[in-house]
Amino acid sequence: MKRTSRDIRTANRYEVLRRCLDRPAVSRQELAAETGLSSATVATLVGELLDLGILVTGGFVDSAGGRPRGLVSVDAGRGSLVGVDVAETYVHAELFDLNLRVVTRADRQLRPGAHEPGHVVAVIADAVQAVLDADTGGPVLGAGVCMPGLVDRQGGISAYAPNWGWHEAVPLRDLLAQHLDVPLYLDNPLRASTVAELWFGAARGRDDAVVVNLGTGVGAGLALGGALHRGVTNSAGEWGHTTLVLDGRPCHCGDRGCVEAYAGAPGIMRNLRELHPGSPLLHSADQTATIEAIGRAAAEGSVQALDVVRETARYLGAAVADLVNLLNPEVVVLSSWVASALGGPLVSEVRRVVERHSLAGPFAATEIVLSPVPTDPVSLGAATFALEGVLSGTGGDASGLRPGPRASIAGGA
């Protein structure tokens, strides 16, 4: 879709604000140099952000032979943002200040098989209520909610979530709006984790990056040319549903042999069952406990656990090698809770397998690392989507930055 002048202006405003985050203060001249925008454009955009109350002026810095340069910074306490990571087995919500620093968190579990839309909405609302109870004194400007599967972010619709059996469109934003009295921005965790890495993680300052999300599901968020790549229907990155093994294991999507069937949490549990039937590491009804047990045991040198990590990396590394050969990224980031639990042993094995299956030149130019983002990357990215919405006026506007009553849950969960 062709971008309008308003889209470009919003993107430039967003980029200027991004450069101000998590810094004590910055001059307009520094912002122009870092963004590549003209000084006049930066001055205009900074003026708009000052008018919105997101930035404040504060102090001067000497310049070489000229007038002192005025500094601006984010008014972190001017408002707050909510980021929600909705996964197949849990809901994780975080409240952020405007500098995107975490204020408080809340976790809720989704019971196996309990994925009826009304129930999922109630659990999300309950988690958001818990973080809203932390009074920061400023208004809540918006909440980003990231859902697994295919998401129509413009319509606020969960279009397809195969791991939950959602094969028909679910008007999730409308359902949530019956409970949440805040502007809502729906998106997908692949996009959210990629933005988190671009802003605060291993992809910061990189033009081309792949963020591999390893959880119950598997996907690859893409940053190309320094920008998030969404694809024409916001579904770019569904690499977990590319074919790894012809006529292989069945996948929730209805196909067979998908990457997800071998490298997602249920696939890793199957790897364990096949390699070591009856292993004490296996918690049949609890994938989180199983993956965490494998991670702990692998770190301690357990032969069984290391066998499972190697087998998982054999599949995952071959699939990552395809991404390296196809996209030639500067960095591949292993992210989400499975990657975190399996940690260093998984990264080492994946590197070894990728080297074997990828071309020498692209492999030599690609780092493969664990995500360094200190908080949940999906929640962090979701909060940036809410911030983007405030700046574009697609659900929030300047009035949301003026003092007023704190947003809250409408009705019950």
Side-chain angles (χ1 to χ4, degrees):
M1 183 179 297
K2 186 176 180 180
R3 294 206 305 173
T4 66
S5 58
R6 177 179 177 179
D7 293 334
I8 295 170
R9 188 177 190 82
T10 296
N12 287 340
R13 188 190 292 180
Y14 193 49
E15 181 64 16
V16 166
L17 179 58
R18 171 185 169 185
R19 303 287 177 162
C20 297
L21 289 171
D22 207 29
R23 296 166 74 165
V26 61
S27 71
R28 292 164 181 80
Q29 289 81 0
E30 288 175 297
L31 291 172
E34 292 175 12
T35 62
L37 299 170
S38 71
S39 298
T41 298
V42 168
T44 299
L45 296 172
V46 167
E48 292 171 356
L49 293 168
L50 288 168
D51 290 342
L52 284 171
I54 295 178
L55 295 184
V56 292
T57 57
F60 295 88
V61 64
D62 290 337
S63 62
R67 293 185 300 172
R69 297 175 176 178
L71 301 177
V72 295
S73 60
V74 174
D75 187 356
R78 188 65 168 165
S80 54
L81 303 157
V82 178
V84 187
D85 175 9
V86 184
E88 284 83 354
T89 58
Y90 65 84
V91 175
H92 179 80
E94 294 185 338
L95 183 72
F96 296 83
D97 66 18
L98 282 190
N99 247 324
L100 292 177
R101 297 191 185 107
V102 177
V103 176
T104 190
R105 303 177 170 88
D107 290 286
R108 299 291 184 268
Q109 295 301 308
L110 286 170
R111 300 189 308 276
H115 295 142
E116 188 271 332
H119 175 70
V120 173
V121 166
V123 175
I124 295 171
D126 185 51
V128 173
Q129 177 66 75
V131 298
L132 290 178
D133 286 342
D135 185 7
T136 61
V140 178
L141 306 179
V145 180
C146 285
M147 300 293 299
L150 303 184
V151 174
D152 173 1
R153 68 193 295 256
Q154 303 298 332
I157 293 168
S158 174
Y160 179 58
N163 288 334
W164 287 347
W166 292 10
H167 297 280
E168 302 294 334
V170 176
L172 204 73
R173 186 167 61 202
D174 289 345
L175 294 173
L176 285 168
Q178 297 174 20
H179 298 271
L180 299 174
D181 189 22
V182 294
L184 296 166
Y185 307 89
L186 203 65
D187 217 309
N188 173 278
L190 297 179
R191 261 62 79 195
S193 59
T194 303
V195 168
E197 295 296 337
L198 282 170
W199 284 39
F200 298 105
R204 191 168 188 173
R206 311 292 186 103
D207 284 334
D208 298 287
V210 174
V211 180
V212 172
N213 269 29
L214 300 176
T216 302
V218 170
L222 306 176
L224 304 177
L228 181 64
H229 179 69
R230 292 183 173 277
V232 69
T233 62
N234 195 44
S235 62
E238 290 297 330
W239 159 81
H241 296 295
T242 58
T243 302
L244 179 62
V245 179
L246 285 174
D247 303 318
R249 294 176 183 174
C251 180
H252 282 103
C253 73
D255 202 354
R256 301 185 72 90
C258 294
V259 174
E260 184 171 297
Y262 296 86
I268 297 172
M269 292 175 71
R270 181 165 174 173
N271 296 341
L272 174 58
R273 289 191 190 97
E274 292 178 353
L275 289 168
H276 297 287
S279 170
L281 299 173
L282 181 64
H283 301 259
S284 296
D286 192 335
Q287 64 177 15
T288 304
T290 300
I291 300 302
E292 290 179 348
I294 294 170
R296 287 192 300 270
E300 294 167 0
S302 161
V303 172
Q304 286 191 8
L306 290 172
D307 282 348
V308 175
V309 170
R310 278 191 289 268
E311 182 70 356
T312 300
R314 187 168 73 90
Y315 293 114
L316 178 61
V320 169
D322 289 344
L323 294 172
V324 170
N325 287 343
L326 181 66
L327 299 172
N328 193 201
E330 295 174 73
V331 62
V332 173
V333 186
L334 303 187
S335 182
S336 198
W337 66 273
V338 168
S340 177
L342 300 184
L346 179 67
V347 177
S348 296
E349 287 298 319
V350 167
R351 282 197 195 107
R352 185 176 61 79
V353 176
V354 172
E355 183 175 17
R356 185 166 75 245
H357 290 288
S358 62
L359 298 172
F363 175 76
T366 302
E367 288 187 73
I368 301 174
V369 300
L370 272 177
S371 171
V373 175
T375 189
D376 183 301
V378 175
S379 294
L380 177 58
T384 70
F385 293 148
L387 180 57
E388 181 181 22
V390 172
L391 295 182
S392 65
T394 58
D397 55 31
S399 63
L401 290 159
R402 300 187 190 113
R406 186 174 181 77
S408 61
I409 298 292

